[in-house]
Amino acid sequence: MSVSQDATEPTVDELEHEGDVAADFIEELLDIADIDGDLTLDVRQGRAYVSVEAEGSGIAVLSTPDTVQALQELTRLAVQSKTGSFSRLILDVGGSRDTRRRQLEQLVDAAVAKLDEGASQASLPSMSSYERKIVHDVVAERGLISESYGEGHDRHTVIRRR
């Protein structure tokens, strides 16, 4: 079951297997950190989606954006090591994805305010491809245009009016 990055999209069965492998890896990490958590697996928009819910201060530390991003990358590497397939899974810890979406919406609001003040365009900070996708969706919902510029860690989104 090897799906390369350039191959066709993985099947639902392959994504569910990817989620299972990711959940096993995350459960081991939670055990090491002595955090009790409930994991939910799903397939959304062609990606395995793993959500971790837990109580207590341990989950608060794990749910910061930078930590979630790092855990997601580690989990993707673990899945790739186990399956031999590139992974684009999404990890959500303690509702961190909803929190990040609200933060990104606020960034877009601030950019729109600059446009309202007369700026021809507004640039957002560098962010992951997943976050840029959310920004592009929010910008489109608001009737504006967005494009990504730059390479690697410097890739960012620029917003302008139609």
Side-chain angles (χ1 to χ4, degrees):
M1 179 189 77
S2 180
V3 177
S4 72
Q5 194 169 359
D6 299 323
T8 60
E9 291 295 315
T11 67
V12 171
D13 286 344
E14 290 170 331
L15 290 171
E16 287 174 348
H17 176 67
E18 183 177 314
D20 288 337
V21 171
D24 290 344
F25 177 76
I26 293 166
E27 284 176 344
E28 287 181 35
L29 286 177
L30 292 175
D31 286 345
I32 291 168
D34 197 27
I35 297 173
D36 291 324
D38 295 321
L39 277 68
T40 305
L41 309 177
D42 198 3
V43 173
R44 301 179 191 172
Q45 301 174 334
R47 292 182 180 209
Y49 191 96
V50 180
S51 179
V52 180
E53 291 297 327
E55 297 292 325
S57 60
I59 200 69
V61 171
L62 293 179
S63 65
T64 63
D66 288 342
T67 304
V68 172
Q69 185 68 28
L71 288 172
Q72 178 175 279
E73 291 306 315
L74 284 173
T75 305
R76 285 177 173 177
L77 289 171
V79 168
Q80 184 173 343
S81 174
K82 188 95 169 190
T83 65
S85 300
F86 176 76
S87 173
R88 294 177 52 222
L89 78 87
I90 300 298
L91 177 63
D92 181 32
V93 180
S96 60
R97 294 295 173 181
D98 288 338
T99 299
R100 184 60 177 150
R101 181 178 176 88
R102 287 190 298 276
Q103 291 170 341
L104 293 172
E105 288 171 345
Q106 291 172 348
L107 281 174
V108 170
D109 289 342
V112 170
K114 288 180 184 177
L115 296 176
D116 289 344
E117 293 169 359
S120 61
Q121 64 183 27
S123 294
L124 299 182
S126 302
M127 56 187 72
S128 71
S129 61
Y130 179 78
E131 292 173 326
R132 286 193 314 276
K133 168 74 169 104
I134 292 170
V135 166
H136 290 306
D137 291 346
V138 170
V139 168
E141 289 168 6
R142 297 190 179 161
L144 301 168
I145 296 172
S146 60
E147 294 180 80
S148 293
Y149 293 95
E151 298 294 326
H153 293 293
D154 293 327
R155 195 143 173 90
H156 64 282
T157 305
V158 175
I159 301 171
R160 58 185 170 84
R161 296 207 180 276
R162 293 189 181 273

